Amino acid sequence: MFESLSERLDSAFKQLKGEGRISEINVATTVKEIRRALVDADVNFKIAKEFTDRVREKAMGEKVITAISPGQLMVKIVKDELAELMGNTEVELELKANPTVILIAGLQGSGKTTFSGKLANFLKTKKNKKPLLVAADIYRPAAIDQLKVLGGQIGVEVYSEPENKNAVQIAENAIKEAKAKGNNVVIIDTAGRLAVDEVMMTEVANVKAAVAPQEILFVVDSMTGQDAVNTAKAFNERLDFSGIVLTKLDGDTRGGAALTIKYTVQKPIKFVSMGEKLDTLDVFYPERMAQRILG
Ligand code: GDP
């Protein structure tokens, strides 16, 4: 599908055999290739440029060891730099509070409800927690049913109030219920819209103010490329979220949105989602993502 960055750089470096250090001339030709590879992987152009400027500085004067080609050395520099930018080590959820409240926000169709189910399953099976899923989408009755089906599949209770059109009340009542029933994690699946709008933002912000969640996870479809960045910015301005969930990485996107979002909002990517099956939730590994972006 794509020519990998290693292949591109190796051809850019063909003339270089025998030189001891990466020089300004080599860097100039390869930086262009790196930038193109990043843009092909959906990284925003401006960010790709800033990024390659950093790589250029790092690469200048690097000693080329005979064991690896200059192209491979550049790829290594790029990969390390990418991984560092994306966070370097995986960040765990903050789960000490009892109950821990986790608010899930994002656009409609981003994969919020599916992710809520995956997260509940992950917390139940891997972290030994007793989660409660909360259907706080008051606009789509089908969203309640969808969450109930997911809850049924993983054996996790789902709290809903089909007649109540007040998301804040539903969230508050759900937390009371969790305390009464001994659920130590409450996952609130909020309503999404097709685009960022004021009503949705106000509603999620009100839920946040009412329940003071320990974690606010912003769910974003990695296939939406550049648009994902504007959405992330808008949600972050209103919610100051604690982490990003990148969904649909099982698709054929290179995932450059991960880098752009991370760079723009400076929040950690806490999970990736690679499919509709409930056991496929994955912790985010920056190095794997860097590898994927570079191909
Ligand atoms: P919501 O509107 O944000 O709650 O989104 P949903 O959870 O309903 O997901 C929207 C669609 O995307 C559904 O058809 C899901 O099955 C699908 N979906 C969610 N997550 C993933 C994923 O990681 N990979 C793939 N391929 N599909 C996903």
Side-chain angles (χ1 to χ4, degrees), residues 100-112:
T100 294
V101 179
I102 304 176
L103 192 64
I104 311 293
L107 292 184
Q108 188 179 317
S110 58
K112 278 188 310 300

Side-chain angles (χ1 to χ4, degrees), residues 1 8 27 36 61 87-88 109 168 176 193 198 209 251 254 263 269-270:
M1 184 177 46
R8 286 184 187 187
V27 170
R36 235 177 60 196
N88 246 335
V168 171
K176 278 185 211 144
R193 305 255 182 165
E198 196 43 41
R254 272 285 179 77
Y263 203 96
I269 298 169
K270 293 199 172 176

Side-chain angles (χ1 to χ4, degrees), residues 117-128:
K118 288 181 174 196
L119 181 62
N121 188 48
F122 169 83
L123 293 173
K124 182 183 165 184
T125 57
K126 301 267 172 19
K127 301 280 174 187
N128 213 11

